[in-house]
Amino acid sequence: TNTSYGWQLINGGHNYDYIIAHELSHQWWGDSVSPQTWADVWLNEGFATYSEALWFENLGGAASYRNYMNSSLWRSSFSGSVYNPADLFGSTVYDKGAWVQHMLRRVVGDTKFFNALRDWYANNTDGVGNTALYQATQEARYGATLDFFFQEWVYGIGQPSYEYGFKTADLGNGTYRNYVRIRQTQATGGLFTMPVDLTLYTSGGNEVRIVANNQLDQDFILDTTAPLTGLG
């Protein structure tokens, strides 16, 4: 339960404060609630790495949070699975483990996600927990199964790769019907079921719509009051 911090990290510049956030978060994720087995090590290190991003969100808001996730924790691919990893202390456990938390927060919603984290601590203080129990804790707040998510991102391997395009039809009554096609093209990992944020660009402004992508090749119909000039 004693957090150590290398003297080389103390230079007066505060450029290693994120490591302090990481190590202090272990007082909750790792010390108070310990993983039941080494297969569950991401419950330590993925949580602590995600706490770094939360620290930046506390300092600089959503933009700082996203910048940290996309710059410091981003990898084009991760080897193996988060659960029962081949490398107990590799980037899959630390960084992909943090991305799992980030994506789970998006799926569950902020309030339910953070309440579930509080439940995780309160219900397992000075004890042990495992990945299945953490899933159940999040599901209790979410109000539905999260098996699709955990099977894809925690127990499974790979990540989705998307291709997309659209066509627009003028219905003649001030409504433009947009037919959007999304294809998953990843070679490994199978189907990923996830919400996808689509930014619809029109001459009247931009609008974000969320679609539930649960097929490898799927069409969506989205109506707008102006023709699409782009999709992102």
Side-chain angles (χ1 to χ4, degrees):
T1 60
N2 181 32
T3 298
S4 60
Y5 190 69
W7 64 267
Q8 303 94 330
L9 305 176
I10 305 172
N11 59 15
H14 293 283
N15 47 315
Y16 293 115
D17 284 358
Y18 72 96
I19 299 180
I20 297 177
H22 179 111
E23 300 302 341
L24 288 179
S25 75
H26 277 312
Q27 300 300 313
W28 292 268
W29 325 127
D31 292 346
S32 182
V33 184
S34 295
Q36 189 172 43
T37 70
W38 281 114
D40 302 296
V41 68
W42 80 281
L43 299 174
N44 272 20
E45 301 303 346
F47 280 40
T49 303
Y50 186 61
S51 295
E52 300 169 19
L54 294 179
W55 166 248
F56 279 99
E57 184 176 20
N58 179 71
L59 289 179
S64 180
Y65 166 81
R66 288 192 298 268
N67 179 67
Y68 189 76
M69 292 296 303
N70 289 324
S71 61
S72 297
L73 304 184
W74 170 252
R75 303 287 186 276
S76 60
S77 64
F78 293 95
S79 62
S81 61
V82 170
Y83 178 79
N84 197 20
D87 184 354
L88 290 175
F89 299 101
S91 62
T92 298
V93 170
Y94 283 74
D95 298 343
K96 186 176 180 180
W99 276 101
V100 166
Q101 289 287 78
H102 168 76
M103 292 183 292
L104 185 60
R105 175 181 175 182
R106 175 66 180 82
V107 170
V108 173
D110 274 23
T111 299
K112 292 179 179 179
F113 173 80
F114 286 112
N115 281 338
L117 281 185
R118 293 183 178 95
D119 294 342
W120 177 247
Y121 170 72
N123 295 340
N124 303 289
T125 299
D126 299 331
V128 297
N130 57 41
T131 300
L133 182 59
Y134 180 63
Q135 177 180 336
T137 303
Q138 286 286 350
E139 286 174 339
R141 288 288 183 175
Y142 182 54
T145 181
L146 289 165
D147 197 55
F148 74 94
F149 180 89
F150 277 79
Q151 290 300 324
E152 293 168 358
W153 294 108
V154 178
Y155 298 106
I157 62 172
Q159 60 278 323
S161 178
Y162 298 103
E163 291 182 348
Y164 59 90
F166 70 92
K167 289 186 177 181
T168 300
D170 184 352
L171 300 187
N173 59 357
T175 300
Y176 294 85
R177 181 145 295 172
N178 306 289
Y179 299 89
V180 178
R181 183 181 183 184
I182 296 177
R183 294 179 62 243
Q184 294 187 25
T185 61
Q186 61 273 9
T188 60
L191 170 67
F192 285 80
T193 298
M194 287 292 286
V196 175
D197 291 3
L198 297 176
T199 302
L200 309 180
Y201 297 93
T202 72
S203 58
N206 306 334
E207 179 185 359
V208 176
R209 303 271 187 96
I210 303 170
V211 298
N213 179 219
N214 54 18
Q215 299 175 32
L216 288 174
D217 193 343
Q218 193 168 10
D219 296 317
F220 301 93
I221 297 176
L222 305 173
D223 290 344
T224 54
T225 57
L228 285 191
T229 59
L231 179 69

